[in-house]
Amino acid sequence: MAAMRVLLTGATGFVGPHVVDALRAGRVGDLEIIATAKEAASHPIFGDVAALDIADPAATREAVRSAAPTHIVNLAGIAASSAARSDPATAWRAHLDGVRNLAAAVMESARRCVLLNIGSGLIYGDAAKSGLPLSEDSPLAPVDQYGASKAASDLLLGVLAREGLRTLRFRPFNHIGPGQTEAFVVPAFCAQIARIEAGLEPPVIKVGNLDAERDFLDVRDVARAYAVAAFKAGELESGTVFNIASGVPVRIREILDRLLAKSSARIEIEVDQTRLRPSDLPRVIGDASRARRALNWTPRWKLDDTLADVLDDQRARLRAM
């Protein structure tokens, strides 16, 4: 089996370490991972992480030329939609300009490389108002600049695939797991519960909209989907889009109830108006039938086990402070 050289951008974020674990677990044969992030770092999983800002075209061109990757997994970008609202210029540079730079570098010096671009299910936006599962053929109707910038790069790659770029496009829905920051609802709940248990906060958990229904996946299942696609890339048509989703809507209130049941603390619930977002869609659910067929991928992790892992992760972080 030919050697596999994976250039991983945004490696030190939430998803990166899980992708590396999935690649190492599933690979038969030589595997080399070149980990990069916007700033150089030392990481317990990757070792040395090279600096690479994909919004810099010259740096991106040189990184791809020198690495000569067989695959690129692009995780670089802003993780939370709230951060994109605060700094839209950075979101557009990372999500659109960065992807364009990666694609140009591949076309210039690594034509056989497959670019796996990690987008977002948020690009469907208002299409979710139907309440029906969203497939890859659902219209793109983003409701904020995060979704719009992700949609723009997704569409760009679709065009470049017609021009010879080897690429696969992913639209993951909500994924959770150990290592995620409090910018997201589940770790935010878990962090508050951990602080309450430790006596650092009063026994009141502050929440936003609990009635919304979302499609939750364990990040380890999501990472496995990316790894399987990388292994099977030679069999897949360039430009193919994959939703990565559970297909099961879960109300946020149910998530909170499950987490509170895992704590011995008596905790009250209080609505925090600052956590309510006017663009909230009542129900967002994805259809990942294509990934099931083409990648033989199905989620393995049970939601309750994932929630327990996130809560334990937040407790451990608190103990380590």
Side-chain angles (χ1 to χ4, degrees), residues 256-274:
L256 180 57
D257 288 344
R258 291 194 192 195
L259 288 170
L260 292 176
K262 299 180 186 303
S263 176
S264 59
R266 295 177 62 85
I267 301 174
E268 296 181 6
I269 299 172
E270 178 182 298
V271 174
D272 180 353
Q273 295 296 321
T274 65

Side-chain angles (χ1 to χ4, degrees), residues 39-314:
E39 296 180 0
S42 179
H43 194 278
I45 291 179
F46 314 118
D48 290 336
V49 178
L52 174 60
D53 180 1
I54 63 170
D56 180 335
T60 304
R61 194 162 52 244
E62 174 57 24
V64 172
R65 187 201 62 76
S66 61
T70 59
H71 300 73
I72 297 173
V73 180
N74 179 35
L75 296 169
I78 290 180
S81 56
S82 57
R85 284 195 299 273
S86 300
D87 188 0
T90 295
W92 283 95
R93 281 195 299 271
H95 298 162
L96 180 56
D97 295 342
V99 170
R100 183 168 54 205
N101 291 337
L102 280 171
V106 168
M107 296 284 278
E108 179 181 305
S109 63
R111 299 281 301 200
R112 297 185 61 80
C113 175
V114 181
L115 171 58
L116 286 75
N117 189 63
I118 312 308
S120 172
L122 289 176
I123 68 177
Y124 294 114
D126 275 340
K129 287 181 176 179
S130 69
L132 300 174
L134 298 160
S135 76
E136 293 86 354
D137 296 324
S138 297
L140 306 189
V143 298
D144 59 18
Q145 297 214 45
Y146 178 90
S149 57
K150 286 285 191 177
S153 60
D154 186 291
L155 292 170
L156 171 65
L157 291 176
V159 171
L160 294 178
R162 293 173 176 268
E163 299 176 4
L165 178 70
R166 299 182 67 194
T167 184
L168 300 172
R169 298 176 282 169
F170 294 87
R171 299 171 183 173
F173 285 65
N174 299 62
H175 39 297
I176 58 176
Q180 195 171 29
T181 72
E182 289 184 56
F184 299 87
V185 62
V186 173
F189 286 163
C190 291
Q192 289 185 76
I193 292 170
R195 289 192 290 266
I196 290 168
E197 290 173 339
L200 299 175
E201 289 185 1
V204 178
I205 189 165
K206 296 183 178 180
V207 302
N209 179 14
L210 295 181
D211 293 326
E213 292 178 283
R214 294 293 182 264
D215 186 322
F216 287 98
L217 280 169
D218 190 293
V219 65
R220 291 160 286 198
D221 278 326
V222 175
R224 181 167 48 84
Y226 302 157
V228 171
F231 301 145
K232 294 174 69 71
E235 307 167 23
L236 302 170
E237 182 179 354
S238 182
T240 299
V241 176
F242 290 108
N243 281 349
I244 306 299
S246 72
V248 179
V250 181
R251 200 174 299 276
I252 303 298
R253 182 177 297 277
E254 180 183 343
I255 295 284
L256 180 57
D257 288 344
R258 291 194 192 195
L259 288 170
L260 292 176
K262 299 180 186 303
S263 176
S264 59
R266 295 177 62 85
I267 301 174
E268 296 181 6
I269 299 172
E270 178 182 298
V271 174
D272 180 353
Q273 295 296 321
T274 65
R275 296 171 188 257
L276 296 174
R277 291 182 296 178
S279 64
D280 265 351
L281 296 161
R283 189 175 197 245
V284 180
I285 175 175
D287 176 357
S289 299
R290 182 178 294 171
R292 286 171 166 79
R293 291 192 306 269
L295 305 179
N296 194 27
W297 172 87
T298 55
R300 295 175 180 171
W301 285 83
K302 295 180 179 178
L303 178 58
D304 216 46
D305 293 337
T306 304
L307 294 177
D309 283 352
V310 178
L311 183 54
D312 286 343
D313 177 57
Q314 291 296 332

